[in-house]
Amino acid sequence: MSVRSTYDAAGFGAAYEKVMAGWPADREAVTVATPFGATQVNVCGPHDGPPLLLLPGGDGGTSASWSAQAAALARTHRVHAVDLIGRPGHSVPAADRPLRTVADLTSWLDALLDGIGADTVDLGGHSYGGWIALHYALHAPTRVRRLFLLDPTGCFAGFKAAYLMRALPMLLRPSPARVRTFLEWETGGVPLDPDWLRLQEAAAGYPSVKPVTGPRPAREALRTLDMPVLLLLAGNSRTHDARRVATRAAGMLPRAETDVLPGASHHSLPHTVPPGLNRRLADFLGR
């Protein structure tokens, strides 16, 4: 049976909307046209608030991943949470112009910011979304006021071999059961929101295109990044050694604040909120 044939579009859509039902009442889904396809952005918060763009993780991540942050951040910002093109969600890739390179990703975000009418944004990303956000900040530093990264992957260190081995069965033949087993292992048995978990399971077999991957940003480039950066790492992350990542990042980013969140795991962020996380983000973005 092919991966595509295992995907239940109706089940995914229902799970997505159930999670999004917990967002602020003013939330609206907006479609932004870009050369690389139609991008769905879930928007909430004051119309005159400074724009904040949020990028989710790559495997099963959607804009719904920010459900635990949306209301808190929307008190002061106009929140724009993005479904990545070619990944689970409601964005639709262009048939004639796929995203293939880091330059494509940064061009897509240029067009997305133009489409929402934002000359500059605060920018945040989790996991793979953090990798994209960091590359974009290096590409267009004048368009990013502040940058926060939640347990980003591929930015300052590689993956642990044990993490990749555990993930391999889920990646090769995704199924709801394999997704659940992997998430239970990575999060160490921490109780997960059942609606969020159902959405991750429903994303199994989503007909995604191959994600853009690439090297870590160059050390020399990171040393030129002259903007405030907040790097929050999951203390129990099984993707990488959080404390080693914090040390490396602090030595490369000139204006970085780094912290390791005890008890948090990579895949429990950001939907399972460690104590103080939303306050840290709000304080950082409000300066």
Side-chain angles (χ1 to χ4, degrees), residues 138-271:
L138 291 168
H139 161 76
T142 60
R143 301 196 76 171
V144 180
R145 191 181 74 96
R146 288 179 177 272
L147 173 68
F148 75 80
L149 307 171
L150 296 184
D151 214 48
T153 52
C155 294
F156 309 104
F159 289 94
K160 286 183 176 180
Y163 177 87
L164 295 176
M165 290 298 294
R166 283 277 189 164
L168 193 60
M170 176 187 67
L171 297 174
L172 291 177
R173 291 186 61 83
S175 70
R178 287 185 173 188
V179 169
R180 178 184 286 267
T181 297
F182 175 74
L183 291 175
E184 288 175 346
W185 169 77
E186 199 284 324
T187 58
V190 172
L192 300 173
D193 178 83
D195 292 337
W196 175 86
L197 183 57
R198 173 63 189 131
L199 179 57
Q200 306 313 298
E201 293 175 334
Y206 184 89
S208 304
V209 300
K210 183 179 179 181
V212 177
T213 57
R216 298 175 216 162
R219 183 186 299 263
E220 295 76 16
L222 291 173
R223 286 175 173 157
T224 70
L225 197 62
D226 188 25
M227 69 185 62
V229 179
L230 177 64
L231 173 63
L232 297 178
L233 295 153
N236 292 347
S237 177
R238 298 198 182 194
T239 60
H240 46 219
D241 185 318
R243 286 162 181 79
R244 181 178 298 174
V245 171
T247 300
R248 288 182 178 176
M252 288 185 265
L253 296 170
R255 299 179 64 187
E257 300 174 40
T258 65
D259 198 5
V260 177
L261 304 173
S265 70
H266 179 77
H267 287 280
S268 69
L269 286 173
H271 80 281

Side-chain angles (χ1 to χ4, degrees), residues 50-95:
L52 169 62
L53 193 75
L54 300 175
L55 303 177
D59 291 324
T62 67
S63 54
S65 299
W66 300 100
S67 295
Q69 285 72 48
L73 298 179
R75 294 190 187 106
T76 56
H77 283 69
R78 184 70 170 163
V79 172
H80 300 77
V82 178
D83 284 350
L84 301 177
I85 284 186
R87 310 306 297 163
H90 294 311
S91 294
V92 180

